[in-house]
Amino acid sequence: MFGFEPNEEQKMLVDSVQRYALNDLRAAAHDADEAGELPPALVKKGWELGVLQASIPEAYGGFGDRSAVTGVLAAEELGYGDLTAGLAVMAPAAYAIPILVAGTEEQKKSLLPPVVEGDWKPYVSAFVEPNLDFSAADMRTTAVRKNGSYVLNGVKTLVPHAANAAGLLVYAALDGKTQAFVVPPKSAGLKIGDREAWCGLNALPTHKLTLEGVTVPADARLGGDAGHDPQPLIAATQVAAAALAIGLAKAAYEYSLAYAKDRTVFGVPIAQKQSLAFMLAEMATDIEAIRLLVWEAAWLLDEGKDAAHAAQMAILGASDTAMMVTDRAVQLLGGHGYIREHPVERWMRNGRGVPNFPGMAMV
Amino acid sequence: MISFEIPDKVRNAVTLMTMVGENMMRPVARYFDDHEHEVPWDYINMMHDANKQMGGGGFVPSTDKPKKAEGEAPKKEGPRVAYQRLAYSAEALSWGDAALYLCSPVGLLGAAAVAATGTPEQKQRFLARFAGDKPVLDGMALTEPHAGSAMPADVRTTAVRDGDSGVLNGEKIFVTGAHKALIDTQGFLVIWATIDASAGRAGVRPFVVEAGTPGCTVTKLEHKLGIRASDTGSVVLQDCRIPFDNILGSPEVEKKTTEGFKGAMATFDASRPMVAASAMGIARATLETLKELLAQNGVTLRTGIPRSRMTNIEREVADMEIQLRSTWLLILKSVWMMDEKKPNNLEASMGKMRAGDVVVRITQKAVELLGPLGYSREHLIEKWFRDAKVNDLYEGTGQINRLIIARRILGYGRRELA
C-alpha cells in the first residue's frame, strides 16, 4: 500500500533533528560561513543525535538498522538548518554506509566500530573528480591489480576534512567499474592539497586529493575480491544530497514567505500581490513534488530494488528545485536578498552546488 | 508509514484499464478526433458492461460505511484505496485516450458532486443508476457565460422553491458531457444555482437535473481544440422544475449557509486529482510514444549518465521523466489523503496546477522534438498536444489553483489575496 506519513519513530527523530537544525545550525550558519569554519561543538552535537549510529547494527558498534527513508527524513532537516554543517555531520556516513552495504563481514567488524563509537571523527569519502563531465559510473581515477594489491591513481575533489581525516574511502574505476577502497590517510603517494574555496560551503574545509601509485592491500576493496555493485552506493549518495537540497529549499521558501508577509509595498504586504504570491505557490508545489521523488528513491533502496533511475531523477530534480527556490527567495527579498545579512544569498550559493555534492553524504 | 508499494487492488485496475486503453481506445482515438460529436457507443457500452461486472455503482467511491446489523462484529477493513484506484484508472484510461475517457459511463464529475454533497439516500439513488441496464453519463454545470473562475460565488442561475419543487432559471456553458448526459443517455447533471443572488456564496446550492426534465435544453455544442470525442455543451434552464429531493445535501434549503459553497469546494478536492490524473495519462502516453518514435528513427537514449554528458534530446527526456513522476506522486498523495480522510485541499490544487503545467510542457516539447513526425496527424502526438491544454483550463485554471495554493500557504482569505 501507499503511505506518505513517517512512522512514530521517524517523527520523533525528525523532531529532534529539526530542533537541532533550527536552534543550533541555523543560529550558527551566518557566522560560520563568514569565519570559514564550523564550531566543533556544533558538529559534535549533531553527531550525538545518533542518526548514523542508529543505522548501524549492534554487531558493528551501532544501535539500529539502516533505513534510507529515515535517512532522507533526517538529511532534509539538516539541510533545512544549514547544508554546510549538515554535510559535516553526515560526512562519516559517506564512509560507513558503503562499508555496511558493500563490505565483507570482516570489513564491517573491523572498520565500523571506530566510526560510530565515541565522538564525531573525520571519516570521509573521496568521490567527486575535478572534471566538468564527472560521472559516478565512469571515473577517471583508476585502480589496477598488482601483486595481490590495488594501485590507485587519480585526482579527487570536495573531500571534506581530508587534511586530518581519520579514514578515507576512495572511489576508483577498476576495469571500468566504479569500486570503493579503504585508503589509510597516511598512505605513500597520497597528496592532500590546500584547502579548496567554493562559491558556497564556506564553513566546510574540503581538499583535493591526488593519488599517485597509492597501493592498498586486496582487502581494502569493499566486498573483498568479489568487489561490489556500485549502483546502490551511488543511488544512496544521490538521494542523501537530494534530501539535503530539499531541506535547503524549504528553508529558503519559508524565510521568503515570512518576509513577503511582513514587507509592505504601496500599503500592503508584498505577499498580497499575485505576481509574488504565485511564485511562492510554485515554490511550495515544487518542493512537495520533488520531496516525494526523493522519498520514493529512498524507499526503493530500502526494499532492495533497483533505485538507480529514481535516485538520478531525485538528485536532478532536487538540484533544480534548490536553484529555482533559492533564486526566487533572493528575488522576493529584492535588494535585501543580495545582502549577506539575510541567509537567502547563502542558500542560493549553497544550492547551486548541489549537483556536485553526491559522494559527500549518504543514507 | 512511508511506502510506494502499489496495492494489488489498484494494480489490477491498472492492468484492466490499460487493456481497455490499448484495445478499445487507441485504435479509434484518431477517428473520434476527426468526427467531433459522434458518440463512441462501442466504448460506452463496453465500459458500461465492465463497470457492471466490477460491481457497478460507478467509479466514485461511496463515503458511507455499509450498515451493520446489531451485534455483528465489526468487519475487518483493509486500507482504503478507492480514490487511489480511481486516480490510477483515470490515468490509465487517459493514457488510452483522454477524450474517450471523458465519455465513460461510470460516474465522473456529476457523481463526484453527488458523493461530496448528497445525503446517503441521494447517493444511493443517483449513483446506483450507473449499474442499471443501459449506460448513463453525468456531468456538472458550473460555468456561466459571464464568469468561470469566479464560480460558484458569482452564480446567476437561480433556484426558487415552489411547493414540492425547485424551479431553475439560467444558462450554463462549457458543460462537459452535457449532450451525452441529457440527450444520448438517461443521465443527469449537477447544476450549481443560487437561492438568493444577493447572498453571494451563502446562496449556492447543487441541484440534480435528470435527462428528460422539461425546461432543460442543450442549446449548443462547442467546437474545440482537443478532447473532441467529449461533447462540451451549453444548457439553458427555463422554468425547469425539479423535485425537492433532487436538491443535494441539507433539506433546509432556504436557510442561508455556506454549506452549498463548501460542497462545491469539497467536490473540487475530489475532482481536481482526477483531472490531474487524466492529464498525467496523456503525458505518459506522449513520453512513451516519443521514446518509441525516437528509437524507430535511430535515436538512442542513454541512461545513467550525468547531465553534462547528455545530448539535448536525452536531457529533455530526462527532465520530462522527472516532471512526470514527481507530479504523479503529488497527485497520488492527494488521493491517498482522500482515502485517509485527511483534508487535501492544498495538495489537490498543487497536483492539478502542476499536472496542467507538466502535460502542456511535455506534449509541446514532444511535438517539437519529433519535428514533422510530431506535427503530423499520422501519429497521435499532435492530438495529445491539443488534448493536453484543457487540463490547464478546466476544473480550475492553473491561475485559480495558484491563487488557492497561495492563499493556503500564506494563511490569506480572499480579502487579503484577490
Side-chain angles (χ1 to χ4, degrees), chain A:
Chain A
M1 61 181 285
F2 291 115
F4 295 90
E5 205 170 58
N7 63 31
E8 289 309 313
E9 210 177 312
Q10 289 166 335
K11 280 182 192 164
M12 278 164 58
L13 178 73
V14 165
D15 275 354
S16 69
V17 181
Q18 191 177 75
R19 265 197 306 277
Y20 164 72
L22 284 175
N23 299 339
D24 300 281
L25 294 185
R26 191 73 69 82
H30 174 269
D31 291 353
D33 187 69
E34 295 289 330
E37 64 180 337
L38 293 161
L42 185 73
V43 177
K44 182 175 185 283
K45 188 171 177 184
W47 173 255
E48 283 164 1
L49 293 168
V51 177
L52 176 63
Q53 297 90 319
S55 308
I56 306 289
E58 275 178 47
Y60 314 121
F63 54 83
D65 289 307
R66 173 188 180 229
S67 155
V69 169
T70 305
V72 296
L73 294 172
E76 177 177 334
E77 296 307 328
L78 291 172
Y80 178 61
D82 176 33
L83 185 138
T84 309
L87 283 173
V89 172
M90 289 181 78
Y95 175 89
I97 295 209
I99 294 168
L100 177 69
V101 172
T104 61
E105 191 58 29
E106 291 76 37
Q107 286 170 332
K108 289 190 260 191
K109 280 227 159 83
S110 64
L111 297 170
L112 289 174
V115 183
V116 289
E117 287 168 1
D119 285 345
W120 179 92
K121 292 175 287 293
Y123 286 95
V124 299
S125 99
F127 186 83
V128 184
E129 297 172 349
N131 321 307
L132 65 91
D133 64 346
F134 167 71
S135 172
D138 180 24
M139 293 189 174
R140 292 193 193 180
T141 300
T142 55
V144 282
R145 282 188 194 83
K146 196 176 171 190
N147 307 329
S149 302
Y150 291 100
V151 182
L152 277 60
N153 281 287
V155 185
K156 295 286 174 181
T157 186
L158 273 168
V159 185
H161 296 280
N164 56 341
L168 279 170
L169 193 68
V170 177
Y171 292 80
L174 176 67
D175 302 325
K177 183 180 171 187
T178 300
Q179 293 289 285
F181 299 85
V182 179
V183 176
K186 304 283 180 212
S187 300
L190 185 70
K191 274 194 238 158
I192 315 272
D194 292 340
R195 182 172 168 172
E196 297 171 308
W198 303 103
C199 173
L201 295 195
N202 289 355
L204 184 71
T206 75
H207 298 261
K208 262 199 191 63
L209 213 64
T210 307
L211 300 110
E212 285 172 355
V214 173
T215 304
V216 292
D219 65 0
R221 179 186 180 191
L222 291 196
D225 282 340
H228 56 278
D229 177 3
Q231 197 37 254
L233 301 181
I234 294 168
T237 193
Q238 285 174 328
V239 297
L244 284 163
I246 292 295
L248 169 131
K250 188 177 108 170
Y253 157 70
E254 285 185 359
Y255 191 91
S256 55
L257 184 144
Y259 183 89
K261 288 183 79 171
D262 187 52
R263 171 83 177 178
T264 59
V265 63
F266 307 126
V268 294
I270 59 170
Q272 293 191 13
K273 303 290 176 192
Q274 281 194 351
S275 58
L276 305 183
F278 284 14
M279 281 166 65
L280 287 162
E282 289 166 3
M283 290 153 78
T285 304
D286 216 51
I287 292 170
E288 181 74 27
I290 302 295
R291 175 188 290 126
L292 296 177
L293 213 48
V294 177
W295 285 9
E296 184 178 41
W299 177 82
L300 287 167
L301 278 169
D302 285 343
E303 294 290 305
K305 295 179 179 169
D306 181 3
H309 188 60
Q312 162 116 343
M313 289 202 292
I315 184 62
L316 291 179
S319 303
D320 291 348
T321 296
M323 197 63 250
M324 183 274 263
V325 171
T326 56
D327 174 72
R328 287 182 177 200
V330 170
Q331 192 70 23
L332 281 156
L333 267 72
H336 295 278
Y338 204 67
I339 309 292
R340 295 215 298 277
E341 213 174 291
H342 289 285
V344 288
E345 66 78 30
R346 187 176 72 248
W347 289 327
M348 187 177 175
R349 285 186 284 116
N350 288 344
R352 181 63 290 176
V354 168
N356 307 298
F357 299 160
M360 301 177 76
M362 198 176 284
V363 291

Side-chain angles (χ1 to χ4, degrees), chain B residues 18-32:
Chain B
T18 303
M19 275 165 51
V20 170
E22 239 168 38
N23 302 315
M24 303 295 293
M25 301 173 93
R26 286 284 176 92
V28 296
R30 175 59 69 187
Y31 176 88
F32 285 103

